[in-house]
Amino acid sequence: EAQVTQNPRYLITVTGKKLTVTCSQNMNHEYMSWYRQDPGLGLRQIYYSMNVEVTDKGDVPEGYKVSRKEKRNFPLILESPSPNQTSLYFCASSPSAGDSNQPQHFGDGTRLSIL
Amino acid sequence: GDSVTQMEGPVTLSEEAFLTINCTYTATGYPSLFWYVQYPGEGLQLLLKATKADDKGSNKGFEATYRKETTSFHLEKGSVQVSDSAVYFCGHWGKFQFGAGTQVVVTP
């Protein structure tokens, strides 16, 4: 089954403790991205990746890092989490950013609470 | 820059009522447009799409027409059900821009 898998689904942690949210897709997609969803603000893109070893900042990249060492995985790293990063996070993938007929597939989301 | 604006919610209506959610966009060129739906506790699912001007996307009784002249992609459904209660996001290809989402609540 084609899917985007995020882990963990839920996490409560404390300020400053490094964490990683993993994202994996099994569709051989080139394009992957991370969003955060906050009430009243909708979805905002954090980082995206056009292909392996190619990443770029989205609209709200501060406080986050990503890597794309292999095609299927696109982890989101919070080196020193802070309470303002408490949010619902979504990973998404698409065959190619250059194909305007191909929408993104989304994971089920990761709810992070930073105390 | 590229952006998507959609009407604020929540939108509350009774079962079998007519639903319209307005969406307008700004973009370079004419990107594909999408509507996604997010049911409670779930991720986003593609509801429908339109890839060029005057295209109409449709799915599950929902429709939206790509209007180049008004830069709009309004979502409509003639008779909503309780199961349509969800958050709806308008988006365009561009930089995968999304609107802020509109919560729809349908009561029996």
Side-chain angles (χ1 to χ4, degrees), chain B residues 9-15 17 19 21 80-88 102-108:
Chain B
V11 174
T12 303
L13 52 163
S14 301
E15 210 164 21
L19 170 69
I21 304 176
V80 294
Q81 305 300 313
V82 172
S83 57
D84 293 324
S85 298
V87 180
Y88 294 82
T102 301
Q103 183 178 11
V104 173
V105 178
V106 181
T107 57

Side-chain angles (χ1 to χ4, degrees), chain B residues 21-91:
Chain B
I21 304 176
N22 291 338
C23 171
T24 57
Y25 67 90
T26 60
T28 303
Y30 303 105
S32 294
L33 302 175
F34 306 95
W35 276 99
Y36 282 83
V37 59
Q38 183 182 31
Y39 298 106
E42 298 183 14
L44 277 73
Q45 304 172 25
L46 179 67
L47 180 60
L48 54 84
K49 68 176 184 179
T51 57
K52 60 184 186 296
D54 300 325
D55 263 5
K56 177 185 283 187
S58 61
N59 186 26
K60 298 182 180 180
F62 290 89
E63 291 184 341
T65 301
Y66 192 153
R67 302 284 188 198
K68 185 176 68 174
E69 62 279 5
T70 55
T71 61
S72 65
F73 193 53
H74 305 324
L75 182 69
E76 297 181 334
K77 186 172 185 180
S79 177
V80 294
Q81 305 300 313
V82 172
S83 57
D84 293 324
S85 298
V87 180
Y88 294 82
F89 291 90
C90 184

Side-chain angles (χ1 to χ4, degrees), chain A residues 40-95:
Chain A
L41 297 176
L43 286 169
R44 294 180 292 169
Q45 193 176 52
I46 303 169
Y47 269 94
Y48 63 95
S49 170
M50 304 283 276
N51 213 326
V52 176
E53 300 292 1
V54 182
T55 63
D56 210 344
K57 296 177 180 178
D59 298 317
V60 288
E62 294 78 21
Y64 304 94
K65 286 174 56 178
V66 293
S67 69
R68 188 90 183 275
K69 296 178 181 175
E70 45 190 346
K71 204 171 196 178
R72 63 182 295 123
N73 295 324
F74 190 46
L76 179 70
I77 303 156
L78 285 70
E79 293 271 5
S80 183
S82 62
N84 65 10
Q85 293 178 298
T86 292
S87 187
L88 178 59
Y89 291 85
F90 288 100
C91 180
S93 73
S94 177

